[in-house]
Amino acid sequence: MKKLVFLILPLLLLNACKVDPEISVEKNTGITEVIPTGWPAPKYTFSVNTLSEARFKLGRELFYDPILSLDNTISCGSCHQQATAFAHADHKFSHGIHDLLGKRNAPALFNLNWLPAFMHDGGINHIEVQPLGPITNPIEMAESMPNVMTKVKASAKYKSLYREAWGTDSMTSQGLFRAMAQFMGTMVSYNSKYDRYKRGETGATLSEQELRGYNLFLSKCNACHTEPLFSDYAYRSNGLSPDPYLQDSGRAHITSQASDRYKFKTPSLRNIAITQPYMHDGRYSTLQACLNHYTDNVKNQINLDPLLTPSGLALTADEKSDLIAFLYTLTDYQFITDEKFAEPHH
Ligand code: HEC
Ligand code: HEC
């Protein structure tokens, strides 16, 4: 809770909120906060940033608008595509502005309200400031917030969207970021075959192979990729050998601690069948290759997670197939085809 206050306060001070009492803010909302039964409490709720359809809509427009980049060519949606659960389809590294390549793989985006921190190294710790990272990153969108504000303020479309959302004409970056948090934070993925099976919905069954995979998963993977989010979001080394060219020290990049070298945030395995390539640097293009890593390539290096050993996990070829069959049940087709999260058509 401390961190949250620490981050919001400076924003509030910078943008003292002047709500014009004359303009009524839309209250009714079809956009709701979803907390699936049996899940832990989210880290971020909309208790302060009250949800409304108009705010969500503003956030959605911004997410898909290249206006947030320096040369108006790249939107958040360029690298985070709905069909692949908001990962960057088939891109090892994301192409940003001027076709510049980043050093890390774009993660899928869903269930973000449960994340204690963002990015592979946890370098950003609040969803309401998260967009500032990519917007100002020189190889992603390479823009500055003052420029973004100038462009957005000059747009008749945003003037009207903003007024409907926040009931005022004086735009602040906080108003934009909070709207984006409403769009991203309501992207909850909880309707995979696995979820329907767990909820005991009629007709939702797992095949024998999927069930074998599920049991293997619980014994070999769940300690880190913990149900129901399929991650506990801790920073760990799963024994990938560091890429000598990328020199990515992971969590240590943020903390400067030797004990954090080569640790990365444990990713969720929800929607994993559609978010290739895999790992922070996109080094593997198939789930089979990821499993081969765990059986054959776990490197005995500094900070290797104590839950893994240098000899790796023991899995037969059949067990790998079973595990992969189970991982496929984690794809949420409802989420990736949900119109509310799609690029708006005008
Ligand atoms: C050029 C491609 C690119 C663009 C454009 C981009 N992102 Fe990303 N995004 C990435 C990459 C790569 C990462 C991982 C970065 C890291 O770990 O250092 C990421 C990480 C994230 C995360 C953290 C997810 C997690 O699991 O920790 C969020 C949220 C996010 N981006 C939202 C956005 C938003 C909002 C925008 C638009 C303002 C945006 N992205 C624009 C490539 C991109
Ligand atoms: C010791 C903790 C740990 C265990 C056990 C573990 N993983 Fe991981 N896994 C991680 C971490 C950490 C990463 C992220 C590594 C990176 O990006 O550098 C990861 C990444 C992955 C990825 C890539 C995810 C993505 O979005 O790119 C897959 C797939 C995966 N693990 C599957 C499994 C499976 C299946 C098992 C069980 C056989 C398993 N893991 C066991 C910690 C673990």
Side-chain angles (χ1 to χ4, degrees):
M1 258 348 241
K2 278 228 177 71
K3 259 181 207 157
L4 203 134
V5 172
F6 169 74
L7 273 162
I8 293 175
L9 207 61
L11 284 172
L12 284 175
L13 293 176
L14 284 174
N15 312 303
C17 207
K18 297 181 230 99
V19 178
D20 185 339
E22 239 93 293
I23 309 169
S24 78
V25 175
E26 184 182 350
K27 295 249 167 41
N28 116 35
T29 173
I31 304 294
T32 49
E33 181 167 15
V34 178
I35 302 175
T37 321
W39 285 27
K43 305 284 175 205
Y44 176 83
T45 66
F46 298 104
S47 56
V48 174
N49 181 17
T50 314
L51 282 174
S52 85
E53 206 142 339
R55 293 171 190 169
F56 174 93
K57 186 170 175 208
L58 171 62
R60 178 180 174 190
E61 291 287 336
L62 289 164
F63 186 89
Y64 284 107
D65 198 335
I67 197 173
L68 300 186
S69 69
L70 178 64
D71 60 1
N72 304 315
T73 57
I74 307 278
S75 71
C76 310
S78 319
C79 294
H80 297 288
Q81 302 157 344
Q82 187 181 17
T84 52
F86 295 96
H88 200 177
D90 287 324
H91 278 68
K92 188 170 171 184
F93 304 123
S94 291
H95 291 250
I97 196 160
H98 308 316
D99 231 13
L100 287 169
L101 276 184
K103 283 193 355 175
R104 288 183 180 165
N105 185 243
L109 307 182
F110 51 79
N111 305 342
L112 295 176
N113 286 359
W114 281 266
L115 264 60
F118 300 90
M119 305 307 194
H120 292 290
D121 53 19
I124 296 182
N125 66 1
H126 200 283
I127 195 170
E128 290 177 15
V129 294
Q130 206 287 328
L132 194 58
I135 290 172
T136 57
N137 185 320
I139 54 174
E140 290 186 350
M141 303 170 102
E143 190 47 296
S144 71
M145 271 323 283
N147 271 351
V148 166
M149 292 314 292
T150 308
K151 287 191 278 186
V152 173
K153 281 177 180 167
S155 147
K157 173 178 110 178
Y158 282 113
K159 202 174 162 155
S160 118
L161 285 171
Y162 197 95
R163 179 180 257 250
E164 271 176 52
W166 299 112
T168 171
D169 285 333
S170 51
M171 284 191 199
T172 63
S173 56
Q174 187 188 43
L176 303 184
F177 286 173
R178 285 194 162 175
M180 294 183 81
Q182 297 206 2
F183 178 66
M184 292 193 287
T186 47
M187 287 181 184
V188 182
S189 177
Y190 66 111
N191 284 309
S192 64
K193 183 174 175 183
Y194 156 88
D195 292 299
R196 286 182 275 115
Y197 164 75
K198 291 294 276 190
R199 290 197 291 260
E201 289 179 16
T202 30
T205 51
L206 296 190
S207 71
E208 274 176 34
Q209 186 184 29
E210 289 163 348
L211 280 173
R212 282 198 305 273
Y214 184 24
N215 285 323
L216 282 164
F217 181 86
L218 292 175
S219 66
K220 310 270 183 183
C221 322
N222 194 58
C224 304
H225 298 284
T226 316
E227 290 179 289
L229 293 157
F230 287 86
S231 176
D232 64 356
Y233 300 116
Y235 304 96
R236 294 195 169 88
S237 161
N238 66 346
L240 295 171
S241 49
D243 182 314
Y245 163 73
L246 296 171
Q247 294 286 336
D248 193 336
S249 63
R251 182 66 179 155
H253 181 65
I254 303 301
T255 64
S256 304
Q257 298 291 312
S259 56
D260 283 333
R261 277 185 85 76
Y262 309 131
K263 290 187 183 173
F264 293 88
K265 189 176 75 203
T266 307
S268 171
L269 297 184
R270 284 180 173 271
N271 298 303
I272 197 69
I274 56 170
T275 62
Q276 65 276 11
Y278 302 112
M279 306 300 173
H280 68 274
D281 55 8
R283 68 176 66 187
Y284 297 133
S285 47
T286 61
L287 288 174
Q288 184 72 47
C290 292
L291 290 178
N292 294 345
H293 161 73
Y294 284 108
T295 52
D296 303 337
N297 288 318
V298 172
K299 203 166 173 263
N300 187 18
Q301 67 191 10
I302 167 177
N303 298 328
L304 174 65
D305 196 278
L307 290 166
L308 289 166
T309 67
S311 45
L313 297 174
L315 290 167
T316 65
D318 283 349
E319 287 176 328
K320 287 181 189 174
S321 304
D322 295 349
L323 262 172
I324 291 172
F326 170 68
L327 292 175
Y328 268 78
T329 71
L330 300 177
T331 305
D332 182 348
Y333 294 99
Q334 192 168 321
F335 174 65
I336 64 173
T337 54
D338 190 334
E339 271 297 311
K340 4 181 229 303
F341 302 126
E343 185 161 2
H345 297 292
H346 298 290

